[in-house]
Amino acid sequence: MLQSLSPDCIINFAVRFFHMKRFSSFIFLVFLSGAAFSAEKAPKYSGSLSCESCHQTEFAAWSDSHHSWAWRKPEPTNVLGDFNNAEFQHAGFTYSFITENNEFYIIADNEEGDAEKYSVASVAGIAPLQQYLVETGNGHLQALDVAWDTESKRWYHLYPEEDTTAGNGMHWTGAYKNWNSRCAECHATDYRKNYDPLKKIYNSKQAEIGVGCEACHGPGEAHLSWANSPEVFSIGSWMGTDTKGLTAAYLKNNAASEINLCAGCHSRREPIGANSPAPGSLYDDHYRLALLRDGLYFSDGQIHDEVYVYGSFLQSKMHEKGVKCSNCHDTHSYRLKAEGNALCTQCHNPTGNTLFPSLKNKDYDSPAHHFHKIGSEGAECKQCHMPERYFMIVDGRRDHSFRIPRPDLTEKLGMPNACNSCHKDKSPPWAISEITKRYPEGELNTRHFAEIFSAADMKLDKQAVNQLIKLGKNDLLPAIVRASALERLLPVAHQLNLITFDSLLFDESAWIRVGAVNLLVMSSAENKNKKLLPLLIDTVKSVRLAAVKAFLNSNQESMSFSDDVAVKMALKEYQQSLYDKADFPETQMVIGGVALTTKNISAAISAFKQAVRMDPQLIQAWIMLARIQAALGNTAEVKHTLNKAISANPNSDLLRELNKHL
C-alpha cells in the first residue's frame, strides 16, 4: 500500500510489513469498533461569506487580515506585483512578469533551466511580501522564489545566497517548494492534499482558499441551521456540535484550547497526515513539533531559522502562567491589540492584572526599568524582550520566548543578545557590565540549558550525556527544553541504561514520552518491546507512531492476542502516515529505512531512488542506494549511481571517497 514504490515492491512490502498472524481477527475487531451506526450528520463547510450577515464587525476585521490574504485568486485587485512587462535577473536568468487580457503570466526557468511561460494560478500574502503560484503539470502548484516586496515595491529573490538553480533540490519546481504538500494546509480552510504517489498527481481540494472563518470555528452548516431556526435546532441531528451548532473545541478563557487552535500553523513541525485536521484537534495527533535543534534555534532557545512562534512561546514564562494568543492579538484582524509598550503594560504595570496574580506590580515603562530615553527605540519592550530576525529577506519575525537579554551567554557561546544587536559598536563584556550595574541580582551568570546544549552539540561525551539526562528529567523546565535534551541523546541511545527513562515513558507531556520512546527504540535493550507495548495504545497518535517502530521487524509469536492487535493497529497508522507523506523526499528516506529493516531490498532501492529523484542533494540516499547495489554485486549499477550522485554533488567528499572503495 506504499504507493510511492513500484507495484511489485508494494506487494512485497505489504506482505512482509503488514500481513501478520490473526490479521482477519484484527479486521473483525476494527469492523466491530465502527459498528455503531448514528443518525447524526457531519456538518459541511459553508464558506466565510455565509458568516457576514450576522457577524459584520468580525467579518470586516477578518476580510483584510493576513489570514484572508493567505491565499487568493489571481484577480487584478489581489495581484500586488508589477506585471507591466517587468523583469528581474538572478543567477544569469531573466524573469519576466506580463499581463495579457487581465491575466497574469511569469516567464521563469523550468526544471531543465529553460525559459517557460507560466500562468499565475494564485497569489499568497499581502505584507511584507507576496508570492506567486504556478501549476507545472499534474496538479503540482509551485511557489516561485522570486517574490514581490510590497513595501519597497520591487521584485527580489527569497534565497539569494543559496543554490536554487535547475537540477538542485531547492529549485522552485522541486519538492521543497511544492505548495500542495508544504504550504497549502496552513493557507486554506479544510485542505485535502489528494496525492497519488504512483502517478505523482495532485488532485488537491479545499473548502475555501485563504484562512477563512471555518478554519478556526469549524464547518458552519450546523451553526447556520441553528441561526436560521434556533427554536427547532436539534443538537442530536448533528455530529460533534454544541448547542449552537459549532464544532471547534475552543473553551472560553482556556489558554490551552486557544493556543491549540493556532499552533498547528504557527509552528515549525512535521505533519503526520495529508490533510487539515478539524479545528481544535489535538496538536500531537497531527504534528511532530520541531524541537530546539541546532540550526533552527540557538543553544539558548532563541530563534535562528524561521520557526513560526509556537516553539518559542512554549519556552516562556508567559506560556507557563496561562497567557494566550488573544491577550495580545485581535482574534479576527490578527493585529496587535495595542500599539507600542501599551500592549505589554496591559499586564506589566504598577497595578497588575487580575488574570495573572503572580505578576510583580511595577512601572516597567520607565527609564528606571529600561534605562533608555522615553520614546526611543531602546525604550520599547519588544526591542529587549522580543528581538527580531528577518526571513525571506524582508519578513521580520519577533522571538516569542520573551527572554531577558543574556550577553554573558554571547560571550561564552556566541549566540546573539538583544543589547549588542542594537549597540553593535559595543562588546558583550560592555553589555554584561551595564546590566550588572542596573540589575546586580539579575540572571546574568546563572546556569542555563544553553551551556549543556552547546557542549553536547560539539561533543557528546560522558559529561554531556549525564547533563542531558538531568535536563530531560527536570520537570521544572518547559517540556520543549526537556524533550530537546532527550533528542540530543539519540546518537548514544545504544550505550545508555534505558531504565533511567522508564518514568518518562508515562510523563504527562507527549513530547517527553516521544523522546523516551525514541531512545528506547534506538537502543539495543532486549526487553524494549515489552516496555513499549503500553505506548502502542497511548491516547496521543504521535506517541503511538514513535513506539511502533520497535515492532517493525519483531517476532510476534509470543505476544498475546490483545498485544498483537495493538501492534497491528499502530502499524496501520504508521503505514498511513508514510503513505500520506510519500511526496516528501525525507519520507522516502524513512520508507527506505523501514524496507531495509524488514529486509525488503527491492522496496528499499525504489524508495532511495525516489528520494534522490525528488532531491538530488540527499547524499545519504545516494550512499544507501550505492551500498545496497554493491551488496547485491551490481557493480555497473553502483558506478552509474555514484556518477549521477557526484554529478549532482561535485563537492561531496563522502561520495568521492565511496567511489574509490565500491
Side-chain angles (χ1 to χ4, degrees):
M1 293 179 68
L2 293 175
Q3 295 183 23
S4 58
L5 311 179
S6 68
D8 289 342
C9 290
I10 296 164
I11 295 170
N12 290 333
F13 202 15
V15 170
R16 299 181 68 97
F17 185 20
F18 301 112
H19 289 190
M20 301 180 182
K21 285 189 173 184
R22 295 196 290 269
F23 191 69
S24 59
S25 300
F26 165 62
I27 293 294
F28 178 66
L29 286 177
V30 172
F31 174 77
L32 285 181
S33 70
F37 294 101
S38 171
E40 294 177 340
K41 176 185 177 183
K44 296 178 181 178
Y45 286 80
S46 303
S48 296
L49 288 175
S50 66
C51 307
E52 181 179 12
S53 60
C54 293
H55 303 281
Q56 293 180 11
T57 301
E58 293 81 2
F59 184 87
W62 164 83
S63 60
D64 199 37
S65 70
H66 281 235
H67 278 187
S68 172
W69 276 89
W71 189 6
R72 289 191 173 190
K73 295 178 181 179
E75 297 168 353
T77 53
N78 295 335
V79 176
L80 305 179
D82 179 6
F83 279 79
N84 188 25
N85 296 318
E87 292 185 343
F88 174 77
Q89 291 188 343
H90 176 75
F93 187 89
T94 300
Y95 297 83
S96 300
F97 304 88
I98 305 163
T99 304
E100 295 177 357
N101 300 320
N102 282 331
E103 293 186 356
F104 302 91
Y105 298 89
I106 298 174
I107 296 175
D109 53 330
N110 62 21
E111 61 184 344
E112 304 297 330
D114 299 324
E116 186 168 342
K117 185 178 180 181
Y118 297 94
S119 173
V120 174
S122 45
V123 303
I126 178 173
L129 69 143
Q130 186 173 74
Q131 281 190 271
Y132 299 88
L133 315 180
V134 303
E135 187 174 342
T136 57
N138 293 326
H140 289 243
L141 272 180
Q142 301 292 138
L144 278 116
D145 286 337
V146 179
W148 178 253
D149 181 339
T150 60
E151 295 182 0
S152 297
K153 309 299 182 187
R154 62 174 181 129
W155 291 105
Y156 77 105
H157 200 279
L158 297 171
Y159 314 104
E161 302 302 319
E162 296 181 20
D163 181 2
T164 57
T165 55
N168 189 288
M170 296 303 292
H171 188 253
W172 72 268
T173 60
Y176 300 116
K177 310 295 175 64
N178 175 255
W179 182 263
N180 311 70
S181 63
R182 301 284 171 166
C183 314
E185 181 196 335
C186 287
H187 288 255
T189 305
D190 189 37
Y191 179 71
R192 296 288 178 264
K193 185 167 66 173
N194 296 334
Y195 178 67
D196 183 335
L198 271 181
K199 298 178 180 177
K200 300 178 179 59
I201 291 174
Y202 289 99
N203 186 27
S204 304
K205 305 290 183 184
Q206 55 279 320
E208 181 177 356
I209 65 170
V211 182
C213 306
E214 293 163 300
C216 298
H217 294 285
E221 184 185 17
H223 181 61
L224 286 171
S225 176
W226 167 83
N228 291 329
S229 304
E231 66 283 353
V232 298
F233 179 78
S234 172
I235 190 173
S237 301
W238 299 94
M239 188 181 298
T241 66
D242 62 16
T243 55
K244 294 184 178 180
L246 293 170
T247 62
Y250 166 65
L251 304 175
K252 190 175 182 180
N253 295 324
N254 182 296
S257 71
E258 179 181 301
I259 293 168
N260 187 61
L261 273 174
C262 306
C265 289
H266 292 275
S267 63
R268 182 78 172 251
R269 80 292 190 275
E270 174 194 355
I272 289 173
N275 307 321
S276 300
S281 298
L282 182 67
Y283 181 93
D284 296 302
D285 277 339
H286 299 277
Y287 307 105
R288 295 185 185 93
L289 178 67
L291 301 177
L292 308 183
R293 298 168 188 152
D294 185 33
L296 297 185
Y297 296 85
F298 291 100
S299 298
D300 63 346
Q302 288 188 79
I303 60 173
H304 189 182
D305 203 350
E306 192 168 14
V307 288
Y308 308 104
V309 175
Y310 184 47
S312 301
F313 187 56
L314 288 167
Q315 303 172 55
S316 70
K317 291 181 180 178
M318 288 191 180
H319 177 263
E320 178 190 341
K321 299 298 183 182
V323 173
K324 56 186 185 294
C325 310
S326 63
N327 289 127
C328 297
H329 299 272
D330 180 82
T331 52
H332 293 99
S333 71
Y334 314 108
R335 295 184 175 90
L336 294 174
K337 297 180 81 169
E339 294 297 320
N341 289 355
L343 183 69
C344 304
T345 56
Q346 294 178 103
C347 300
H348 297 278
N349 59 58
T351 58
N353 186 319
T354 56
L355 292 174
F356 307 105
S358 65
L359 275 173
K360 183 178 180 180
N361 296 349
K362 178 182 173 181
D363 183 6
Y364 290 90
D365 192 11
S366 160
H369 173 71
H370 54 64
F371 301 98
H372 288 79
K373 182 180 178 181
I374 291 177
S376 70
E377 188 177 39
E380 295 179 340
C381 307
K382 65 185 181 183
Q383 294 300 109
C384 293
H385 300 293
M386 297 182 72
E388 187 175 40
R389 287 181 70 84
Y390 279 81
F391 306 102
M392 303 173 90
I393 308 298
V394 300
D395 195 0
R397 303 288 179 99
R398 291 200 173 270
D399 194 315
H400 279 62
S401 55
F402 304 101
R403 63 186 62 245
I404 293 171
R406 291 287 301 266
D408 57 316
L409 294 178
T410 304
E411 186 176 41
K412 291 178 185 177
L413 306 173
M415 72 275 297
N417 72 81
C419 304
N420 293 116
S421 293
C422 286
H423 298 277
K424 298 183 186 298
D425 59 330
K426 305 292 186 181
S427 66
W430 169 85
I432 293 169
S433 174
E434 292 298 313
I435 292 178
T436 302
K437 289 177 191 174
R438 293 161 170 78
Y439 294 100
E441 304 300 322
E443 294 186 5
L444 287 186
N445 297 313
T446 59
R447 189 70 168 156
H448 195 283
F449 65 79
E451 297 170 72
I452 298 171
F453 283 178
S454 182
D457 290 342
M458 288 190 292
K459 184 179 181 182
L460 202 54
D461 57 17
K462 185 176 181 179
Q463 181 181 1
V465 167
N466 289 336
Q467 290 177 328
L468 288 173
I469 291 172
K470 288 181 182 178
L471 277 184
K473 300 185 77 172
N474 185 351
D475 58 11
L476 297 178
L477 291 171
I480 189 173
V481 175
R482 298 173 60 205
S484 301
L486 296 178
E487 186 175 68
R488 280 171 165 80
L489 290 168
L490 282 173
V492 295
H494 61 288
Q495 302 172 12
L496 302 177
N497 181 354
L498 275 303
I499 295 174
T500 306
F501 305 103
D502 280 357
S503 63
L504 301 185
L505 292 171
F506 302 97
D507 192 273
E508 67 177 20
S509 167
W511 303 322
I512 304 302
R513 298 201 299 279
V514 167
V517 164
N518 286 338
L519 286 171
L520 203 54
V521 168
M522 296 298 292
S523 79
S524 55
E526 292 183 5
N527 64 340
K528 66 180 178 182
N529 286 11
K530 184 177 179 180
K531 289 186 177 184
L532 289 170
L533 275 169
L535 281 302
L536 294 175
I537 54 172
D538 194 277
T539 56
V540 177
K541 188 173 184 178
S542 58
V543 179
R544 299 194 298 272
L545 294 183
V548 77
K549 295 172 188 176
F551 297 87
L552 291 177
N553 199 28
S554 297
N555 187 347
Q556 312 294 316
E557 295 292 339
S558 60
M559 283 190 184
S560 68
F561 175 70
S562 60
D563 289 342
D564 196 21
V565 168
V567 170
K568 290 180 173 68
M569 291 183 74
L571 283 172
K572 185 179 180 182
E573 286 188 312
Y574 187 53
Q575 170 202 16
Q576 186 63 52
S577 180
L578 293 178
Y579 177 85
D580 285 345
K581 298 182 297 176
D583 51 347
F584 284 33
E586 52 270 49
T587 301
Q588 293 296 333
M589 292 288 287
V590 174
I591 293 172
V594 169
L596 286 177
T597 300
T598 58
K599 299 180 175 61
N600 191 325
I601 304 305
S602 57
I605 291 173
S606 181
F608 290 128
K609 283 184 176 180
Q610 290 279 9
V612 297
R613 180 190 65 80
M614 294 178 180
D615 180 2
Q617 280 65 56
L618 274 178
I619 291 172
Q620 287 303 319
W622 287 113
I623 291 173
M624 292 301 297
L625 188 57
R627 289 193 181 280
I628 294 170
Q629 291 167 341
L632 295 174
N634 298 330
T635 306
E637 289 188 21
V638 171
K639 291 300 180 185
H640 178 69
T641 293
L642 288 176
N643 285 338
K644 289 180 67 176
I646 292 170
S647 176
N649 303 277
N651 298 319
S652 171
D653 293 335
L654 278 174
L655 289 172
R656 283 198 297 271
E657 191 65 26
L658 187 64
N659 197 29
K660 293 178 183 177
H661 295 95
L662 289 183

